[in-house]
Amino acid sequence: MTLRIAILGAGRIGQVHARAVGGNPQAKLVAVMDLYDAAAQALAEGYGAEVRSIDAIEAASDVDAVIICTPTDTHADLIERFAKTGKAIFCEKPVDLSAARVRACLETVSETDAKLMIGFNRRFDPHFGALKAAIDSGEIGDVEQVTITSRDPGLPPHEYIGVSGGIFRDMTIHDFDMARFLLSEEIVQVYATASALVDPSIRELGDYDTATVVLTTASGKQATILNSRRATYGYDQRIEVLGSKGMVQAENQRPVSIEVATADGYTRPPLHDFFMTRYVDAYAAELNAFISALNSGEPMSPDGRDGLDALRLADAALQSAKTGQAVALL
Amino acid sequence: MTLRIAILGAGRIGQVHARAVGGNPQAKLVAVMDLYDAAAQALAEGYGAEVRSIDAIEAASDVDAVIICTPTDTHADLIERFAKTGKAIFCEKPVDLSAARVRACLETVSETDAKLMIGFNRRFDPHFGALKAAIDSGEIGDVEQVTITSRDPGLPPHEYIGVSGGIFRDMTIHDFDMARFLLSEEIVQVYATASALVDPSIRELGDYDTATVVLTTASGKQATILNSRRATYGYDQRIEVLGSKGMVQAENQRPVSIEVATADGYTRPPLHDFFMTRYVDAYAAELNAFISALNSGEPMSPDGRDGLDALRLADAALQSAKTGQAVALL
Amino acid sequence: MTLRIAILGAGRIGQVHARAVGGNPQAKLVAVMDLYDAAAQALAEGYGAEVRSIDAIEAASDVDAVIICTPTDTHADLIERFAKTGKAIFCEKPVDLSAARVRACLETVSETDAKLMIGFNRRFDPHFGALKAAIDSGEIGDVEQVTITSRDPGLPPHEYIGVSGGIFRDMTIHDFDMARFLLSEEIVQVYATASALVDPSIRELGDYDTATVVLTTASGKQATILNSRRATYGYDQRIEVLGSKGMVQAENQRPVSIEVATADGYTRPPLHDFFMTRYVDAYAAELNAFISALNSGEPMSPDGRDGLDALRLADAALQSAKTGQAVALL
Amino acid sequence: MTLRIAILGAGRIGQVHARAVGGNPQAKLVAVMDLYDAAAQALAEGYGAEVRSIDAIEAASDVDAVIICTPTDTHADLIERFAKTGKAIFCEKPVDLSAARVRACLETVSETDAKLMIGFNRRFDPHFGALKAAIDSGEIGDVEQVTITSRDPGLPPHEYIGVSGGIFRDMTIHDFDMARFLLSEEIVQVYATASALVDPSIRELGDYDTATVVLTTASGKQATILNSRRATYGYDQRIEVLGSKGMVQAENQRPVSIEVATADGYTRPPLHDFFMTRYVDAYAAELNAFISALNSGEPMSPDGRDGLDALRLADAALQSAKTGQAVALL
């Protein structure tokens, strides 16, 4: 059975999801909504869908699921609204910048028994998936140290930084989710050191561009996250996990794998320079997982609780970076 | 403008092309033909196309181009037939196992001014494309030695070997085309040594499974092709080019790039095990090139002449392997 | 002019230095001292040197320099003793486990104007040296994030852990020195999380076997150290430095660089399994640097102050690991 | 027991061997001979040896073995002369440029029961040794295709080319020996194509600078050798062996293994640029093998017969390159 989907928000990430829907034989894009009508129109046309209002989508009998790609401050409201319609919901992270608001929203989700999946796309990257499978297979024994290197190619616009909730809630949040995913154990302590080395004016916005975060679990497992807003060599996305029996690493990805050797040395091209090319397979697999869970009736994963837990780690990291002290999680 | 396409032959390679058409916004699959009706039906359904007879496709006004994926011995006839209809033609290699038959076919193509592209998909692989671009940029200077490693994961069925024209015409032909593409100079001498090391019974079929071929150009540039029908570690597809200023290498591809380190060492997964996963991007880019050439009116590349030249090298290699002597090309 | 050297302590690290002296045309091993006479004898014989008492070495006119390889608790005394003789001193790290004792010892060194070099051998590793040179060349711009992965192949004997001063003073101390070397800026904050995951009984000895340490400089540069006492895949010694213009990495070393590809994947051998094979070139280069500094009259580097500063970082890390709080350095 | 050695010829390769002797506790350099006295003096002094005449070395009772590093045209005479003295002989390749002269020389060796080892140093490289061990272990099954890439960093002086016997006898001869070593089976056919692409004037000297050679064994195993006199990126020395169960590769070596990533890509330094740094470990291991064989009484390997067989392949390759035809070996 084909899943009939409406996309709310026709911006960059909405386009990513539309492409995934278009390429998936089990899904069909039915409707697109965006406050900016031309954007909605352009996206809808490309996939044979209609432009509709939120109200129309809410009322539609030919829409089984919504993909929420609107600005962050609308996510919680939209989740609550569509939870009550019985439509399945896929929502981009984060649910909200306030943990309290997220909790309230998840209560509605729980009361309405709504299906909600949160867009932590990296869990579905084939390389990170193979790394997780290697852990689960027991090959490397018990997990002891996780290292996540996660660096953006360049700074986002200052306007974005103003509304993003800061580096920990906007960028590191993916890494918090990944750390939780790989550690499979409660995190009890968070330490972060952060600075504005790339662009000092970011400090004036109350944010950072360079951060190192250490997470410790109850049994003493450790995870380190290395963030920077600027990696001149591309979108640096690596994971390494040390276990009692060995180590597994997921390497960086580049568009083409050639190497040129001259008197100056051996040179490979830079990495992908954009999350959309780097994670194109992950977005496709994420949609598949959403559809599979709906078809099978199994629980969504990652779900709203995963979204909340990643946000709590982000809040703790921010507190730690500000105070210079580690933060205990209760 | 959308290119309306009919696919002749709904087997494995026909399915590959159908997927590329389905994923291309500038193309649309209109009709499918196969002697085995269920196969045609299955393929047509997946892409919203109709099953039609050859005659119907020939006469159709809603078909702009045909993609020929039928058995090799029908290629030349079909090219001639569709050349006369004015439809653009994409034909899988080889045009025919007989160079004389290919020549005759290309005369018809020439007389009818038909658009004909030959399916040497590897030219469109992004990695090999980047390697070619590195050569063309002058980075490595003048090409001196080309090394093409091209090994299949495993033996094809014996029935296939019986009708394939042998390893040089069926497998090495891709490498001959690649050598020509990279050398950009007339080849004047061909030497091949070949044996049946994987399966001695292949020798009884008059064929080989392990071959080394050396090509020399007029100015003394050298190209080596290393073939085997069995690489236990996957589909081994590498190219290396030495030039006067440096070297460029295109590395192998694997589905996931993780590495597991234990007391036994550092292990990465095997390579792709199938040409369809290894070259999925190449097939998509190949179709784009076909469409671009039709839209721009520029000459097709690779064209029928490229098909013929690769076949001539295959014939020379076979003669060399049989006689133990190098063969001069006039 | 050949430097005439006495080695104090004929154990494992004494043997390493003897080999370096033996292979260096500018140095000659003259005398060996060890409480265990047979060890002294064996080492002396291999390099044409004599066994002598400490007193004899102290009084010797044919000894220009001593290399101190005795147990840690004798280092400071021996440094002071030989400082007064005017002989040049090379001392294995650490000078002492107590920072106060180190300070007192360095005062004597200062008063006597003695030449003292401390054995942070990794500064002289050719790979780490090339990494440092890349930083100094400006290629990667300003240093922003340093990541040092430093994992031993296996646990040392429990007796050693009892007297070593613990993981931070015995193992991480090399990494603290390296971080200082690469950051080239005062460290103002230290955070460490540590646990006994490899062997819980190490916890009972008051020590850890798995640790993550984060250092922050005054300007906000960050360094992370990842330690484990057990890396099944070998002696894991990597450094990565992110800068404003790029990144530089020094990769792991293995005895042989072959790769075997089978149906199970591509496998390279494990890393070196011992510091003596991994750092054989570093020890040779370290001795060269000692000799060069003596010949040129330039200051020793690393010197006693470097030894003290690394120890202070170790002490701070230990305090942080115990309290769960970051430690500010004045 | 220490092996007392005289080195004949104090040029570049003589110095390489002197260093290996100096660093080997089981060997001692006793005497050095060179027509150019200052060279002999310099080498002797560095290792505490004496300068002596050939006659004195021949008559010396304190010399157990000679290492012959004189010009090629003196090798056979010197081997014969020292064979009669009962001293063990290590001779640099080749024994002579004439196969007939080599055969005559080996007869003398045989009649006198002299111990003769030929300097094919690459057999003793630890990486190639590990590759050979992987083959011998059965990991990759039966050998099917060997590929040896062997490219020099730059052209030798024209004077050397004039007396070297040409690329096949001077450079490829190492690769012929390696191919024989790895194939472990009689070679029955040789094909070579060669040209002067680096420097056309080399053609006027009757030589080539770029060559591809293919060897076939009786059972159909294939070996390919890729030679160039100019690899701008360093001394390119790789071996790959395909077997029935897998493949093994020995990778190139570089002095330092760092990688710098910038907006221009990821760059590793060039390879070693000289055989003396690339093969320093091989020369040391080669000497060890010579000493071991003398001590154990086991046959020398590689011996004079190996030297002759490599030369026969070189002669056949030259004939093939000149005639354009494959050459059958009887």
Side-chain angles (χ1 to χ4, degrees):
Chain A
M1 202 205 68
T2 302
L3 189 75
R4 296 163 302 176
I5 293 177
I7 288 183
L8 314 181
R12 211 166 58 173
I13 189 70
Q15 291 162 28
V16 168
H17 287 294
R19 188 175 315 162
V21 172
N24 193 313
Q26 299 184 73
K28 185 176 163 39
L29 188 62
V30 168
V32 176
M33 186 288 302
D34 196 288
L35 291 187
Y36 179 51
D37 208 59
Q41 199 63 47
L43 192 60
E45 261 173 26
Y47 297 92
E50 289 176 4
V51 174
R52 296 191 194 167
S53 70
I54 279 276
D55 293 345
I57 292 171
E58 192 176 10
S61 62
D62 66 344
V63 170
D64 305 310
V66 293
I67 297 180
I68 302 178
C69 307
T70 50
T72 294
D73 59 5
T74 65
H75 287 183
D77 289 351
L78 287 171
I79 288 172
E80 289 174 341
R81 186 163 171 182
F82 281 94
K84 291 168 188 162
T85 66
K87 297 190 196 310
I89 306 166
F90 178 99
C91 185
E92 267 306 312
K93 58 89 211 166
V95 171
D96 197 89
L97 296 181
S98 149
R101 181 69 188 89
V102 177
R103 278 198 191 86
C105 175
L106 296 187
E107 267 179 44
T108 303
V109 170
S110 172
E111 284 161 11
T112 56
D113 240 351
K115 298 284 190 182
L116 170 65
M117 181 167 163
I118 301 298
F120 287 124
N121 59 297
R122 294 183 197 174
R123 290 195 184 201
F124 302 97
D125 176 66
H127 313 287
F128 296 160
L131 175 139
K132 179 67 159 74
I135 295 171
D136 293 347
S137 76
E139 276 179 272
I140 66 158
D142 294 331
V143 169
E144 294 174 353
Q145 277 184 328
V146 172
T147 312
I148 299 172
T149 303
S150 173
R151 295 168 178 153
D152 275 358
L155 282 171
H158 272 48
E159 306 81 60
Y160 177 73
I161 288 176
V163 302
S164 78
I167 190 169
F168 296 117
R169 291 196 191 99
D170 123 44
M171 178 176 167
T172 325
I173 198 157
H174 280 292
D175 309 310
F176 288 127
D177 181 65
M178 186 55 74
R180 292 185 62 246
F181 185 52
L182 299 176
L183 288 169
S184 302
E185 191 186 293
E186 202 67 21
I187 289 160
V188 298
Q189 185 167 305
V190 178
Y191 172 77
T193 183
S195 38
L197 300 177
V198 177
D199 181 352
S201 75
I202 285 179
R203 169 73 79 165
E204 292 157 30
L205 296 170
D207 199 7
Y208 311 101
D209 54 36
T210 306
T212 300
V213 184
V214 178
L215 311 173
T216 307
T217 71
S219 75
K221 300 180 198 301
Q222 301 152 13
T224 302
I225 299 168
L226 301 164
N227 283 154
S228 171
R229 292 278 199 190
R230 175 189 57 201
T232 59
Y233 50 92
Y235 191 33
D236 188 356
Q237 299 279 298
R238 283 170 286 157
I239 303 178
E240 169 177 322
V241 183
L242 175 74
S244 54
K245 293 186 185 164
M247 176 177 66
V248 57
Q249 297 175 305
E251 299 159 14
N252 264 318
Q253 302 298 316
R254 38 174 56 82
V256 291
S257 51
I258 65 166
E259 188 159 34
V260 174
T262 69
D264 295 329
Y266 278 63
T267 301
R268 293 181 292 162
L271 309 177
H272 283 286
D273 61 357
F274 199 34
F275 75 92
M276 284 169 67
T277 52
R278 168 63 183 84
Y279 284 119
V280 62
D281 292 338
Y283 284 109
E286 184 182 54
L287 179 67
N288 275 335
F290 181 62
I291 296 173
S292 287
L294 287 178
N295 288 343
S296 69
E298 300 217 346
M300 289 287 167
S301 175
D303 64 9
R305 181 74 211 179
D306 292 306
L308 177 61
D309 283 349
L311 183 65
R312 289 176 61 231
L313 292 173
D315 288 348
L318 180 58
Q319 183 185 336
S320 176
K322 279 186 176 160
T323 64
Q325 288 306 341
V327 173
L329 290 183
L330 305 187
Chain B
M1 205 204 67
T2 302
L3 189 74
R4 298 165 299 178
I5 292 176
I7 286 183
L8 314 182
R12 210 166 60 172
I13 188 70
Q15 291 162 28
V16 169
H17 288 294
R19 187 175 315 163
V21 170
N24 193 313
Q26 300 185 73
K28 185 176 163 42
L29 187 62
V30 169
V32 176
M33 187 286 303
D34 197 288
L35 290 187
Y36 177 50
D37 209 60
Q41 199 63 45
L43 192 61
E45 261 172 26
Y47 297 92
E50 290 176 2
V51 174
R52 296 191 194 166
S53 69
I54 279 274
D55 292 345
I57 292 171
E58 192 177 12
S61 61
D62 67 345
V63 170
D64 304 313
V66 293
I67 297 181
I68 302 177
C69 306
T70 50
T72 296
D73 59 4
T74 67
H75 287 182
D77 289 351
L78 286 170
I79 289 172
E80 289 174 340
R81 187 163 171 182
F82 281 93
K84 291 167 187 161
T85 66
K87 296 188 197 309
I89 305 165
F90 179 99
C91 185
E92 268 306 312
K93 59 86 209 169
V95 172
D96 196 88
L97 296 180
S98 149
R101 180 69 189 89
V102 177
R103 279 196 190 88
C105 174
L106 295 186
E107 266 178 45
T108 302
V109 171
S110 173
E111 284 161 11
T112 56
D113 240 352
K115 298 285 191 181
L116 170 65
M117 181 167 163
I118 302 298
F120 287 124
N121 59 297
R122 294 184 196 174
R123 290 194 183 201
F124 302 96
D125 176 67
H127 313 287
F128 296 159
L131 174 139
K132 180 68 159 73
I135 297 172
D136 292 347
S137 76
E139 277 180 89
I140 65 158
D142 295 330
V143 170
E144 294 173 353
Q145 277 184 327
V146 172
T147 312
I148 299 171
T149 304
S150 174
R151 293 169 180 155
D152 276 357
L155 281 171
H158 272 49
E159 307 79 61
Y160 177 73
I161 288 176
V163 302
S164 78
I167 190 170
F168 296 115
R169 292 196 191 100
D170 122 46
M171 177 176 168
T172 324
I173 199 157
H174 280 293
D175 309 309
F176 287 126
D177 182 65
M178 186 54 74
R180 292 186 62 245
F181 186 52
L182 299 176
L183 288 168
S184 301
E185 191 186 293
E186 201 68 21
I187 290 160
V188 297
Q189 185 166 305
V190 179
Y191 171 77
T193 183
S195 38
L197 300 177
V198 177
D199 181 351
S201 75
I202 285 179
R203 169 73 78 165
E204 291 157 31
L205 296 169
D207 199 7
Y208 312 100
D209 53 38
T210 306
T212 300
V213 184
V214 178
L215 311 174
T216 307
T217 72
S219 75
K221 299 178 198 301
Q222 301 152 14
T224 301
I225 298 167
L226 301 164
N227 284 154
S228 171
R229 292 278 199 191
R230 174 187 59 200
T232 59
Y233 49 92
Y235 191 33
D236 188 356
Q237 299 279 298
R238 284 170 286 158
I239 302 178
E240 168 176 324
V241 183
L242 174 73
S244 53
K245 293 185 184 164
M247 177 177 67
V248 57
Q249 296 175 306
E251 299 158 16
N252 265 318
Q253 302 298 315
R254 38 174 57 81
V256 291
S257 51
I258 65 165
E259 188 159 34
V260 174
T262 69
D264 295 329
Y266 279 62
T267 301
R268 294 181 290 163
L271 309 177
H272 284 286
D273 61 356
F274 198 34
F275 75 92
M276 285 169 67
T277 52
R278 167 64 183 83
Y279 284 119
V280 62
D281 292 339
Y283 284 109
E286 184 182 56
L287 180 66
N288 275 336
F290 181 61
I291 295 172
S292 288
L294 287 178
N295 287 344
S296 70
E298 299 217 348
M300 288 290 166
S301 175
D303 65 6
R305 181 72 210 180
D306 292 307
L308 176 61
D309 283 350
L311 183 66
R312 288 176 61 231
L313 292 173
D315 289 349
L318 180 59
Q319 183 185 335
S320 176
K322 279 186 177 162
T323 63
Q325 288 305 340
V327 172
L329 290 182
L330 304 186
Chain C
M1 208 204 66
T2 302
L3 190 74
R4 298 164 301 178
I5 293 177
I7 288 183
L8 313 182
R12 207 166 61 173
I13 188 72
Q15 291 162 27
V16 168
H17 287 294
R19 188 175 313 164
V21 172
N24 192 313
Q26 301 184 75
K28 184 173 163 44
L29 188 62
V30 169
V32 177
M33 189 286 303
D34 197 289
L35 292 186
Y36 178 49
D37 207 60
Q41 200 62 48
L43 192 60
E45 261 172 28
Y47 297 93
E50 290 176 3
V51 173
R52 297 192 193 167
S53 70
I54 278 275
D55 292 345
I57 292 171
E58 194 177 11
S61 62
D62 67 342
V63 169
D64 305 312
V66 294
I67 297 180
I68 302 176
C69 307
T70 50
T72 295
D73 58 6
T74 67
H75 287 183
D77 289 351
L78 287 170
I79 289 173
E80 289 173 340
R81 186 165 172 180
F82 281 94
K84 291 166 186 162
T85 65
K87 298 190 195 308
I89 306 165
F90 178 99
C91 185
E92 268 305 312
K93 59 88 207 167
V95 173
D96 195 272
L97 295 181
S98 148
R101 180 70 188 93
V102 176
R103 277 196 191 88
C105 176
L106 296 186
E107 266 177 46
T108 302
V109 170
S110 172
E111 285 159 12
T112 55
D113 239 353
K115 298 284 191 184
L116 170 64
M117 181 167 164
I118 301 298
F120 287 124
N121 59 296
R122 294 185 196 173
R123 289 194 184 201
F124 302 96
D125 175 66
H127 313 288
F128 296 160
L131 175 139
K132 180 66 159 72
I135 296 172
D136 293 346
S137 76
E139 276 179 272
I140 66 158
D142 295 330
V143 169
E144 296 174 350
Q145 277 184 329
V146 172
T147 312
I148 298 172
T149 303
S150 173
R151 294 168 179 154
D152 275 357
L155 282 172
H158 271 49
E159 306 79 61
Y160 178 73
I161 287 176
V163 302
S164 77
I167 190 168
F168 296 117
R169 293 198 191 99
D170 124 44
M171 177 175 167
T172 325
I173 198 157
H174 279 292
D175 309 310
F176 288 127
D177 181 65
M178 186 54 75
R180 291 186 62 248
F181 185 53
L182 299 176
L183 287 169
S184 302
E185 192 186 292
E186 202 66 21
I187 290 160
V188 298
Q189 185 165 304
V190 179
Y191 171 78
T193 182
S195 38
L197 301 177
V198 177
D199 181 351
S201 75
I202 284 180
R203 169 73 77 167
E204 291 156 31
L205 296 170
D207 200 6
Y208 311 100
D209 54 37
T210 306
T212 300
V213 184
V214 178
L215 310 173
T216 306
T217 72
S219 75
K221 300 180 197 303
Q222 301 153 14
T224 301
I225 298 168
L226 302 164
N227 283 154
S228 170
R229 291 278 198 190
R230 176 188 54 202
T232 59
Y233 50 91
Y235 192 32
D236 188 356
Q237 300 280 296
R238 285 169 285 156
I239 303 179
E240 169 177 322
V241 182
L242 175 72
S244 54
K245 292 185 185 163
M247 176 177 66
V248 57
Q249 297 174 306
E251 298 159 16
N252 265 317
Q253 302 298 316
R254 40 173 58 80
V256 290
S257 52
I258 64 164
E259 188 159 35
V260 174
T262 69
D264 296 328
Y266 278 64
T267 301
R268 293 181 292 162
L271 308 177
H272 283 287
D273 61 357
F274 198 33
F275 76 92
M276 286 169 64
T277 51
R278 167 63 183 83
Y279 283 119
V280 64
D281 293 337
Y283 284 108
E286 185 181 51
L287 179 67
N288 275 335
F290 182 61
I291 295 172
S292 288
L294 287 178
N295 288 342
S296 70
E298 301 216 347
M300 288 287 165
S301 176
D303 63 8
R305 181 76 211 177
D306 292 308
L308 177 60
D309 283 350
L311 183 65
R312 289 177 62 229
L313 292 173
D315 288 348
L318 180 58
Q319 182 185 335
S320 176
K322 279 186 176 159
T323 62
Q325 287 305 341
V327 172
L329 290 183
L330 304 188
Chain D
M1 206 205 65
T2 303
L3 189 73
R4 297 165 300 177
I5 293 176
I7 288 183
L8 313 182
R12 209 166 60 175
I13 187 72
Q15 292 162 27
V16 168
H17 287 294
R19 188 175 314 164
V21 172
N24 193 312
Q26 300 182 291
K28 184 174 162 44
L29 188 62
V30 168
V32 177
M33 187 287 303
D34 196 289
L35 290 188
Y36 178 50
D37 207 59
Q41 200 62 46
L43 192 60
E45 262 172 27
Y47 297 92
E50 290 176 4
V51 173
R52 296 192 193 166
S53 70
I54 279 273
D55 292 345
I57 293 171
E58 193 176 10
S61 61
D62 66 343
V63 170
D64 306 312
V66 293
I67 297 181
I68 302 176
C69 306
T70 50
T72 294
D73 59 5
T74 67
H75 287 182
D77 289 351
L78 287 170
I79 289 173
E80 289 173 341
R81 188 164 170 180
F82 282 94
K84 290 167 188 162
T85 67
K87 298 189 194 309
I89 306 165
F90 178 98
C91 184
E92 269 305 313
K93 59 89 209 165
V95 173
D96 196 272
L97 295 180
S98 149
R101 180 69 188 93
V102 177
R103 277 197 191 87
C105 176
L106 295 186
E107 266 178 46
T108 302
V109 171
S110 172
E111 284 161 11
T112 56
D113 239 352
K115 298 284 190 181
L116 171 64
M117 181 166 163
I118 301 298
F120 287 123
N121 60 297
R122 295 185 195 172
R123 290 194 183 202
F124 302 96
D125 176 67
H127 314 288
F128 297 160
L131 174 138
K132 180 66 160 71
I135 296 172
D136 292 347
S137 76
E139 276 180 270
I140 65 159
D142 295 329
V143 169
E144 295 174 351
Q145 277 185 328
V146 172
T147 312
I148 299 172
T149 304
S150 174
R151 294 167 179 156
D152 276 356
L155 281 172
H158 271 49
E159 306 79 61
Y160 177 73
I161 288 175
V163 302
S164 78
I167 190 168
F168 296 117
R169 291 197 191 99
D170 124 45
M171 177 175 168
T172 324
I173 197 158
H174 280 292
D175 309 311
F176 289 127
D177 181 64
M178 186 55 75
R180 290 187 62 247
F181 186 51
L182 299 176
L183 288 169
S184 302
E185 191 185 293
E186 201 67 22
I187 291 159
V188 298
Q189 185 166 303
V190 178
Y191 171 78
T193 182
S195 38
L197 300 176
V198 177
D199 181 351
S201 75
I202 284 179
R203 169 72 79 168
E204 291 157 29
L205 295 170
D207 200 7
Y208 312 100
D209 55 37
T210 306
T212 300
V213 184
V214 179
L215 311 174
T216 307
T217 72
S219 75
K221 299 179 197 303
Q222 301 153 14
T224 301
I225 299 167
L226 301 164
N227 284 155
S228 170
R229 291 279 198 190
R230 177 188 55 202
T232 60
Y233 50 91
Y235 191 32
D236 188 356
Q237 299 279 298
R238 285 170 284 157
I239 303 179
E240 169 177 323
V241 183
L242 174 73
S244 54
K245 293 185 184 164
M247 175 177 65
V248 57
Q249 296 175 305
E251 298 160 16
N252 264 317
Q253 302 297 316
R254 39 173 58 80
V256 291
S257 51
I258 64 165
E259 188 158 36
V260 174
T262 69
D264 294 330
Y266 278 62
T267 300
R268 293 182 291 163
L271 308 178
H272 283 286
D273 61 356
F274 199 32
F275 76 92
M276 286 169 65
T277 51
R278 168 63 183 85
Y279 284 119
V280 63
D281 293 336
Y283 284 108
E286 185 181 54
L287 180 66
N288 276 335
F290 181 60
I291 295 172
S292 288
L294 287 178
N295 288 342
S296 70
E298 300 216 348
M300 290 286 165
S301 176
D303 64 8
R305 180 76 210 176
D306 292 309
L308 177 61
D309 284 349
L311 184 66
R312 289 176 62 228
L313 292 173
D315 288 348
L318 180 59
Q319 183 185 336
S320 176
K322 279 186 177 162
T323 62
Q325 287 305 342
V327 172
L329 290 182
L330 302 189

